[in-house]
């Protein structure tokens, strides 16, 4: 169950190597992601989330933009904090949606994921 962004980009190389060595790799990810995309090197199991690709991309762009804005330390800190809070809420919601997906959880349990 990868985390989107740099964590996934690093993990992807490991998964490709595992597949080359004959392992079956299953990736569980939300339908809305920045970098986690299907590949011939692994099986994707996806679940829905209550936000769109556009909403997620907008939040990430806004977070990056505010991270590099000029201004007082306090104002920048508050903006970055609020952005991190919104992104953390999206991540938490994604986890909740995974755990509430009975069909996917059943598949994971039966396959001894």
């Amino acid at each position: 169950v990868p985390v989107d962004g740099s964590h996934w980009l690093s993990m992807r190389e490991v998964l490709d190597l595992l597949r080359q060595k004959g392992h079956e790799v299953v990736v569980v990810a939300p339908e809305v992601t920045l970098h986690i995309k299907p590949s011939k090197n692994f099986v994707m199991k996806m679940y829905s989330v209550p936000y769109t690709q556009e909403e997620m991309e907008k939040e990430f762009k806004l977070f990056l933009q505010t991270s590099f804005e000029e201004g007082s330390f306090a104002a920048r800190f508050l903006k970055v904090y609020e952005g991190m809070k919104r992104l953390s809420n999206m991540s938490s919601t994604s986890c909740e949606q995974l755990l509430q997906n009975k069909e996917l959880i059943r598949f994971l349990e039966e396959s001894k994921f």
Side-chain angles (χ1 to χ4, degrees):
V1 180
V3 175
D4 211 347
S6 61
H7 296 85
W8 169 249
L9 299 175
S10 299
M11 183 190 286
R12 174 90 192 252
E13 291 183 36
V14 174
L15 298 181
D16 291 343
L17 289 171
L18 286 171
R19 179 65 178 178
Q20 288 174 11
K21 293 183 182 236
H23 294 276
E24 179 184 357
V25 178
V26 177
V27 173
V28 177
E31 290 175 336
V32 175
T33 68
L34 291 175
H35 301 287
I36 306 169
K37 305 297 178 207
S39 167
K40 60 179 172 48
N41 290 332
F42 51 82
V43 174
M44 286 285 293
K45 292 293 184 181
M46 302 184 93
Y47 57 94
S48 61
V49 289
Y51 49 85
T52 66
Q53 186 74 34
E54 294 77 21
E55 290 169 326
M56 186 178 69
E57 288 175 6
K58 178 183 171 190
E59 285 298 330
F60 270 98
K61 285 179 186 174
L62 182 60
F63 175 74
L64 290 174
Q65 181 183 10
T66 59
S67 297
F68 297 104
E69 283 182 354
E70 292 187 22
S72 73
F73 174 78
R76 287 182 301 138
F77 179 84
L78 185 58
K79 285 183 179 181
V80 169
Y81 172 76
E82 290 297 326
M84 288 181 74
K85 205 161 86 171
R86 286 191 304 273
L87 291 173
S88 294
N89 286 341
M90 290 178 107
S91 182
S92 179
T93 298
S94 175
C95 291
E96 289 173 10
Q97 292 299 118
L98 167 60
L99 295 174
Q100 293 174 7
N101 187 319
K102 294 186 186 328
E103 183 180 325
L104 181 53
I105 295 296
R106 189 175 315 108
F107 167 82
L108 297 174
E109 288 173 343
E110 290 173 359
S111 65
K112 301 194 183 342
F113 183 81

